[in-house]
Amino acid sequence: MTFGAGRPPHASALFTDLYELKMLQAYHRERMEDIAVFDLFVRKLPPERNFLLAAGIDDALRYLEELHFEEAELAYLNSLGQFTPEFLDWLSGFRFSGSVWAVPEGTPVFAEEPILEVVAPIAEAQLVETFLLNQISFQTLVASKGVRSVLAARGKPVIDFGARRAQGTDAALKGARALHIAGFQSTSNMLAGLRYGLPVTGTMAHSYIEAHDDEAGAFREFAALYPDTTLLADTYDTEAGVRRVVELAQQLGAAFQVRSIRLDSGDLGALAHRAREILDAAGLTRVAIIASGGLDEYAIAALVNAGAPIDAYAVGTSVITSADAPKLDTAYKLVEYAGRGRMKLSTHKATLPGRKQVFRRFDGDLLDGDLIALRDEPSDGEPLLREMMRNGHRLTTASPSLAESRVHAARQLARLPPELLALAPADTTSYPVRVSDALRAEQVRVGTGLGKPAPTAGECPEDSTDSRR
């Protein structure tokens, strides 16, 4: 039976900032109802990232489909004394009726490239800013961190242990989802397992061992209840713990089915070597070794490079919090209204006007660079932005399963240049992201109309052929 197909509760329309609703009332009063286009993108990649892995699109689309104001929410807005009865009555029938173009989840993306583009009457497109930024920023952040552990493990399974250190329950759930797209094998988070159909895994805590009078007895009782299990070997003395696993195997004989041991502290490389020697000497070559305890991609890479006999890695705090780069410089900006290009001219935050497409080029099987262009420009590259919602309803082609998004991510990663897959920062010229001549010209034209002849150095991405940094 599949439980993961159940839909999570819809997000409240009040998951927004007050200024969004104030602007909506102003739009409503001024009868501003024309079509607006907003781009969601990342201004700059963190120095520690060579690319980002887009995630959170599915939650964004579901939110837009279900968006409405409930009576209690309208009553709360009324209690604030800032909104007219006419406006609140209008909100009672509020629905999203627009279109969405976005990259598929699991697609590598770079700075300034639209991850998602919303095309809708301006009030509809404006209200959703907070939620879209919240979901796509966080899930992309975690997926982009998690994929580094997957790459560092070089084919060894990586497990999500992050729930207890996540910054809230929603972060733990959405983080587990994003990590699955990034290539994590399983999660310890049971609600994520239910909600998304993810494989779940778990062993025991040190407290279980400590609650028994001796370690051997704890192992014996646990294995009796869960024969095909993992035993935590480092509560007291790791080498002694591994020897007690061997003793249990000798006592049980053919009934011994323990699958693995877990090491959670100390010099994991040295302890894994010693544990492997003890297990192999006892004929327990099939018993695997799982490592956990403060791991990140750098620690995993060091263990793999040192040849540590570790069969799987469990990662928690560092990945769910994206500890080395805990934020993305994401933005959601108006780029067109009433058929005219719009842009921001603020220093270091100038934007690119108009509806866009990102074209990805290839050199054989490998990605060779991206071109950010106007939507209808011809190009020989592969367009990344796909129409996923029209007239407020998701298109059938925009609903891949989580498993399909995971496969898409793996295929895309296999086509990235090797230098981008390394943990160290890559040379920014290794993967050029350019702005097309037509889009540059449109930026100058719109800027001139706003009283600024042309963007100055450092204010817009076209000052370099590479916008990734």
Side-chain angles (χ1 to χ4, degrees):
M1 183 180 295
T2 299
F3 295 96
R7 293 169 65 86
H10 79 274
S12 168
L14 289 189
F15 191 89
T16 191
D17 293 297
L18 177 59
Y19 82 155
E20 308 286 11
L21 287 162
K22 285 187 170 183
M23 284 188 285
L24 256 64
Q25 183 166 237
Y27 291 144
H28 181 67
R29 178 178 174 275
E30 298 170 51
R31 300 294 187 262
M32 293 180 66
E33 301 170 344
D34 286 320
I35 297 298
V37 181
F38 281 79
D39 282 355
L40 192 154
F41 59 96
V42 178
R43 288 193 179 98
K44 295 177 68 175
L45 269 60
E48 301 83 0
R49 304 288 182 266
N50 292 326
F51 64 92
L52 300 176
L53 202 63
I57 311 300
D58 186 75
D59 284 302
L61 297 177
R62 176 174 292 121
Y63 163 78
L64 293 173
E65 279 190 314
E66 299 178 352
L67 181 60
H68 67 279
F69 286 86
E70 297 185 350
E71 288 186 12
E73 295 166 340
L74 294 170
Y76 169 70
L77 292 178
N78 185 51
S79 74
L80 298 179
Q82 299 187 44
F83 302 104
T84 66
E86 180 190 7
F87 175 65
L88 295 176
D89 182 64
W90 179 75
L91 283 185
S92 68
F94 188 95
R95 296 293 186 276
F96 182 80
S97 64
S99 301
V100 174
W101 291 68
V103 302
E105 290 193 287
T107 300
V109 293
F110 301 91
E112 298 292 339
E113 298 181 345
I115 297 174
L116 175 144
E117 192 167 82
V118 174
V119 183
I122 191 166
E124 297 175 22
Q126 185 77 65
L127 178 67
V128 302
E129 174 180 9
T130 304
F131 186 88
L132 298 188
L133 281 170
N134 175 276
Q135 294 296 307
I136 294 175
S137 298
F138 176 73
Q139 293 191 49
T140 298
L141 178 75
V142 173
S144 304
K145 174 67 171 179
V147 74
R148 289 165 63 82
S149 288
V150 173
L151 294 169
R154 297 184 193 174
K156 299 291 181 65
V158 184
I159 305 164
D160 163 35
F161 272 15
R164 62 187 59 196
R165 302 292 171 80
Q167 293 161 331
T169 54
D170 190 62
L173 290 169
K174 302 299 175 59
R177 180 185 182 278
L179 292 173
H180 187 73
I181 292 173
F184 274 48
Q185 183 191 64
S186 56
T187 180
S188 65
N189 187 328
M190 293 300 293
L191 185 55
L194 168 64
R195 180 165 294 182
Y196 302 118
L198 306 183
V200 293
T201 189
T203 56
M204 56 170 66
H206 293 291
S207 56
Y208 179 84
I209 307 292
E210 296 165 1
H212 288 75
D213 291 337
D214 61 82
E215 189 174 48
F219 286 171
R220 183 173 59 254
E221 294 298 332
F222 204 79
L225 182 59
Y226 307 106
D228 181 19
T229 192
T230 299
L231 298 176
L232 185 56
D234 69 336
T235 302
Y236 303 120
D237 177 271
T238 301
E239 185 172 332
V242 177
R243 292 192 183 281
R244 290 191 178 98
V245 174
V246 171
E247 292 169 3
L248 180 63
Q250 293 169 344
Q251 293 167 11
L252 296 179
F256 180 81
Q257 300 177 43
V258 171
R259 179 181 357 110
S260 55
I261 63 169
R262 180 160 68 95
L263 308 179
D264 191 54
S265 58
D267 185 338
L268 294 174
L271 291 171
H273 278 291
R274 185 61 184 136
R276 187 75 273 159
E277 291 172 359
I278 295 170
L279 293 170
D280 289 353
L284 300 178
T285 56
R286 66 170 182 80
V287 175
I289 298 174
I290 300 173
S292 61
L295 294 177
D296 62 10
E297 66 267 38
Y298 299 105
I300 292 173
L303 289 166
V304 171
N305 291 337
I310 295 171
D311 300 287
Y313 298 89
V315 187
T317 305
S318 69
V319 70
I320 200 66
T321 63
S322 189
D324 63 327
K327 64 181 178 66
L328 289 179
D329 187 12
T330 45
Y332 181 83
K333 296 301 177 185
L334 179 70
V335 297
E336 183 180 298
Y337 178 63
R340 291 175 50 203
R342 311 289 170 138
M343 61 183 290
K344 185 175 180 179
L345 293 171
S346 305
T347 302
H348 304 305
K349 291 186 177 181
T351 54
L352 296 166
R355 304 186 191 196
K356 301 176 192 67
Q357 183 56 270
V358 180
F359 294 99
R360 181 151 287 172
R361 295 173 175 175
F362 298 86
D363 181 7
D365 290 333
L366 294 181
L367 278 59
D368 192 44
D370 292 350
L371 180 72
I372 307 173
L374 293 170
R375 170 69 60 81
D376 297 326
E377 277 192 64
S379 175
D380 57 358
E382 176 185 311
L384 296 188
L385 291 166
R386 303 177 187 176
E387 188 178 18
M388 296 193 172
M389 178 175 281
R390 186 185 303 156
N391 299 325
H393 297 286
R394 194 186 316 208
L395 304 181
T396 56
T397 54
S399 300
S401 68
L402 197 55
E404 289 169 334
S405 294
R406 175 185 172 92
V407 169
H408 172 74
R411 289 174 176 167
Q412 292 291 305
L413 291 168
R415 305 188 76 175
L416 279 178
E419 55 268 34
L420 296 189
L421 299 175
L423 299 184
D427 183 339
T428 56
T429 63
S430 62
Y431 192 83
V433 178
R434 299 188 301 106
V435 176
S436 74
D437 292 342
L439 182 50
R440 290 184 183 184
E442 177 67 2
Q443 187 184 40
V444 172
R445 186 190 70 78
V446 174
T448 300
L450 295 171
K452 190 168 185 178
T456 59
E459 289 189 275
C460 63
E462 70 266 23
D463 294 310
S464 169
T465 58
D466 184 353
S467 69
R468 291 192 292 123
R469 303 292 184 222

